[in-house]
Structure formats: structure tokens, C-alpha cells
Amino acid sequence: MWINLLNNSIKFTPVRGTIRIEAGKNNHLITVSITDNGIGIPEEERADIFKPFHKVDKSRDPSVKGNGLGLSIVKKIIDLHTGDIQVSGAPGTGSTFTVTLPQSIKS
């Protein structure tokens, strides 16, 4: 899950771009945000990016590989851990993927 999110940030961020990772804990929730200053995701596409085989930029450079499965797998893993994933940002300014997961509580 983390590798996919980081690989996407790297893949869609220009050379000498910026990727920032932040993590925090609030009550029993862990939040991790991965922010880049890459191509961004249009708001109208955000509802579909977690569907299998969905690609935001269908005309993108063919050297950028991908089959559209990564984010659907990420979403499934997060759902299995009763977590949540949100995406924000704008085309041309980058994206932020924020993952919230419950903290494991040991007895």
C-alpha cells in the first residue's frame, strides 16, 4: 500500500519535484499523508480513481507504466483495516493522499 502510494507520487511528479510524507496520531487513529507537486488529479476524477483499471490521464506518456490496479488494491487494503483514504489537490499543483487507520490496541 505505502509503496504504491509513494511510487505514484514519484511517477507523476516532475524531475526535481517535491514529495512530502507526514504522519501523526490522534486518539486511536494514525494518519499518514503523502503530498507531491506533480500533475494532480481533477476533482471530477477523484470518485473513480480507486476503481480497478481506472486511469486519470488516458493519453499520458506511454513511458509511464501502469495498469490502473494500484489504487484499487490500496483502497481494498485500507478497507480491510477499517481505515479511510482521501485525496485532495488540483491539476498542475499536485495531490495529497491521506490515509487514516485505527491504532492497534494491545490488551
Side-chain angles (χ1 to χ4, degrees):
M1 169 181 77
W2 302 118
I3 291 170
N4 180 273
L5 291 171
L6 285 169
N7 280 340
N8 282 352
S9 285
I10 293 166
K11 187 185 322 184
F12 297 111
T13 298
V15 175
R16 302 199 200 307
T18 302
I19 297 170
R20 184 177 69 241
I21 302 168
E22 296 177 305
K25 184 174 93 165
N26 187 5
N27 295 323
H28 295 291
L29 296 175
I30 306 292
T31 302
V32 177
S33 294
I34 300 173
T35 302
D36 64 56
N37 66 342
I39 62 173
I41 301 170
E43 190 169 347
E44 63 273 10
E45 293 277 347
R46 292 185 198 154
D48 296 328
I49 62 172
F50 298 108
K51 293 179 181 174
F53 305 109
H54 182 79
K55 294 182 181 181
V56 172
D57 183 2
K58 289 139 183 92
S59 65
R60 72 180 178 205
D61 182 344
S63 68
V64 177
K65 302 292 183 205
N67 56 21
L69 286 173
L71 288 177
S72 66
I73 294 169
V74 165
K75 175 79 166 109
K76 182 66 173 176
I77 291 168
I78 291 168
D79 288 349
L80 288 170
H81 288 87
T82 64
D84 184 54
I85 184 166
Q86 299 292 320
V87 62
S88 60
T93 63
S95 301
T96 297
F97 283 82
T98 302
V99 176
T100 304
L101 296 168
Q103 179 183 354
S104 179
I105 301 172
K106 302 208 183 222
S107 309

